[in-house]
Amino acid sequence: MVISDLPDNYYTGKRTFVRIDFNVPNIEVDPDPPRIRRAIPTIDYLTSRKAKVILASHLGRPDRRPDPKFSLKPLAVRLAEILRTNVRFVDDCIGDKVKEAIGSMGNGDVLLLENLRFHKGEEACDEKFSSELASLAEIYVNDAFGTSHRAHASTYGMARHFEYRLAGFLVRGELEHLARIREAPDRPFLVIVGGVKIKDKLSALKRLIDKADKVLVGGCVAYTFLVSKGLSVGDSLVEQESISWAAEVLSKHGNKIILPEDHIVSTNADDIKGIHLVSGGIPKFLKGFDIGRDTSKRYAKEIASGNRTILWNGPMGLFEKEQFSHGTVDVARSVALAYLRGCTTIIGGGDSIAALKMADVSEREVTHISTGGSASLEYIGGKELPGIEILTERSILEPAATEP
Ligand code: ADP
Ligand code: MG
């Protein structure tokens, strides 16, 4: 069910918990990212129907305890500017303070809770934490597509306590766009994968690899594959547990997977003087921070070679630093060009979206910008996402709402 499936008057005065994805790392640098903008229709819909809207999200990867670096407070300020209304913020997501704040909400008010990951129960999907979250509201809405591949307390555990678990408009929009590619992508279907969440990306690739005609690999994801081929990657980031799987995939699908042939390396990300280009393996004590020039050229050629669907998630390098941004910028521009020549392109992931901006690629040069990175890869690969599945599941732990 989607939020618009309940009668309008059902929402009046109802405490409505909306799991949004405000995992926006750089609100100061980019005050208007799609993840915030796309959450607005759901929030508007609920406030105009006089619900009491309780918003909750995670931000980054804090060490399961409060850390001002990962506070959602700046997002409350930005959201208030966008909504042009007051957005109250509480510096926790469960407990008496939160209950008091909710108790004093008027119909149509908006409240943003503090980072869910300040509690260890969130990622552990702890039952007690889940019930505490659930006790805050009468209706549950998931509009956090980018986190729906994880069975956390806010995306899964708490949802089980509600009779009405609804998809928001962002989630509905994502599913509509991605379902077509999940079912039958126009071929050739090219997947480009990079970034730093190696485990997530490799696990998604396990399914996607069968569907894709070709996969270009960059970012940290590439080093695990290179190690599995016996190449040296110096001190670059590698997912040890996945090396044998990577070797297996290469032996089975080797013709589909294209790996970097050269790299931009340095001793560390701040060692600007030490930056240089290496071909083949990466020598000892050095780390790869971007794909090299030949790899960039090769990837641009592959992207331009008549694909009909392209799915891209994960930057090719540490693009936040100009010195390591070239591979990512080249890929972004090549994918934009493919779109202008008629290819369906999906670009997903918080950082990949940020990279588009850096490459000066506009949203009009992409078929669909997905707010999900790994979630999109998993979904298109054919996996059922726990946060989406729970919306359709029948079993209810403790019904919290009455009949509409
Ligand atoms: P997305 O948010 O698009 O799903 P990820 O979160 O997986 O992507 O990864 C994005 C991050 O990966 C960026 O912050 C980028 O700097 C980092 N990254 C990519 N390649 C490298 C690399 N070779 N070394 C260090 N960081 C990298
Ligand atoms: Mg990211």
Side-chain angles (χ1 to χ4, degrees):
M1 264 168 99
V2 181
I3 45 174
S4 49
D5 291 337
L6 284 182
D8 284 354
N9 62 8
Y10 184 72
Y11 288 105
T12 312
K14 290 259 173 34
R15 289 169 288 133
T16 307
F17 186 103
V18 188
R19 197 345 175 153
I20 42 165
D21 184 357
F22 273 11
N23 183 22
V24 175
N26 275 319
I27 186 77
E28 295 80 17
V29 183
D30 180 12
D32 208 15
R35 278 189 177 173
I36 297 190
R37 228 177 313 131
R38 297 237 213 114
I40 304 301
T42 291
I43 299 172
D44 279 347
Y45 185 89
L46 295 171
T47 53
S48 66
R49 278 153 189 80
K50 302 277 173 256
K52 294 174 179 173
V53 181
I54 305 158
L55 304 172
S57 175
H58 74 286
L59 173 63
R61 298 191 156 177
D63 199 10
R64 299 177 184 91
R65 57 184 146 83
D67 179 345
K69 270 207 310 281
F70 297 103
S71 174
L72 279 162
K73 197 168 180 186
L75 282 114
V77 176
R78 181 65 193 126
L79 183 62
E81 286 166 6
I82 296 172
L83 295 174
R84 282 187 251 121
T85 157
N86 189 28
V87 173
R88 214 168 135 196
F89 177 76
V90 221
D91 64 2
D92 205 343
C93 61
I94 50 165
D96 292 342
K97 223 184 315 184
V98 175
K99 288 201 165 139
E100 265 167 47
I102 293 173
S104 65
M105 285 174 88
N107 296 355
D109 282 358
V110 180
L111 174 75
L112 177 65
L113 306 180
E114 183 55 289
N115 197 337
L116 292 155
R117 289 193 186 165
F118 286 177
H119 289 266
K120 58 180 187 305
E122 166 64 359
E123 286 167 274
C125 198
D126 173 64
E127 190 38 48
K128 185 162 171 278
F129 182 69
S130 298
S131 342
E132 285 196 55
L133 284 175
S135 73
L136 302 177
E138 293 145 288
I139 303 173
Y140 173 83
V141 177
N142 179 5
D143 218 14
F145 181 75
T147 324
S148 295
H149 60 307
R150 304 188 195 279
H152 288 172
S154 65
T155 54
Y156 186 81
M158 73 177 291
R160 294 181 296 163
H161 291 265
F162 291 84
E163 179 166 15
Y164 289 109
R165 317 161 201 158
L166 309 162
F169 295 137
L170 178 154
V171 162
R172 181 183 64 182
E174 291 277 11
L175 294 177
E176 277 171 4
H177 266 101
L178 304 181
R180 258 176 269 157
I181 296 176
R182 172 183 164 112
E183 278 148 33
D186 288 335
R187 295 184 181 283
F189 175 30
L190 174 72
V191 173
I192 310 166
V193 64
V196 79
K197 293 178 195 155
I198 310 175
K199 217 182 198 158
D200 284 4
K201 313 280 158 120
L202 289 177
S203 119
L205 263 187
K206 283 180 192 173
R207 290 165 178 274
L208 254 182
I209 205 111
D210 288 323
K211 288 199 175 174
D213 294 301
K214 217 167 246 182
V215 183
L216 308 180
V217 187
C220 296
V221 182
Y223 309 126
T224 303
F225 277 108
L226 293 171
V227 167
S228 80
K229 281 178 71 169
L231 279 156
S232 146
V233 296
D235 288 340
S236 308
L237 284 170
V238 167
E239 174 68 36
Q240 295 292 337
E241 295 159 37
S242 302
I243 296 175
S244 58
W245 174 80
E248 207 177 294
V249 169
L250 284 177
S251 69
K252 200 166 145 203
H253 299 284
N255 54 335
K256 279 190 188 178
I257 300 172
I258 304 181
L259 299 171
E261 297 151 20
D262 59 349
H263 313 271
I264 308 287
V265 301
S266 192
T267 53
N268 66 70
D270 296 316
D271 179 7
I272 306 292
K273 282 201 184 122
I275 295 177
H276 58 281
L277 178 73
V278 297
S279 284
I282 298 173
K284 258 191 186 162
F285 310 122
L286 291 172
K287 286 184 178 178
F289 288 112
D290 195 8
I291 55 174
R293 253 173 282 156
D294 286 343
T295 306
S296 246
K297 270 190 215 154
R298 166 99 201 263
Y299 285 11
K301 205 169 142 198
E302 290 291 347
I303 292 166
S305 68
N307 298 290
R308 291 181 62 209
T309 309
I310 297 178
L311 171 64
W312 174 31
N313 167 238
M316 296 292 103
L318 201 154
F319 74 96
E320 294 89 343
K321 289 197 187 268
E322 205 271 331
Q323 299 83 354
F324 305 122
S325 67
H326 301 285
T328 305
V329 166
D330 284 353
V331 163
R333 292 183 181 155
S334 305
V335 173
L337 188 58
Y339 166 78
L340 296 171
R341 287 173 167 162
C343 175
T344 297
T345 61
I346 310 272
I347 301 178
D351 294 293
S352 306
I353 295 172
L356 287 183
K357 207 159 203 171
M358 170 171 271
D360 252 334
V361 170
S362 97
E363 290 180 32
R364 296 202 186 145
E365 294 171 295
V366 182
T367 308
H368 177 62
I369 293 191
S370 173
T371 53
S374 308
S376 315
L377 293 181
E378 295 271 22
Y379 185 71
I380 292 175
K383 193 182 170 198
E384 300 304 336
L385 309 181
I388 303 300
E389 247 196 327
I390 191 72
L391 302 179
T392 52
E393 228 169 68
R394 284 254 142 240
S395 71
I396 301 160
L397 290 182
E398 287 163 27
T402 47
E403 282 296 311

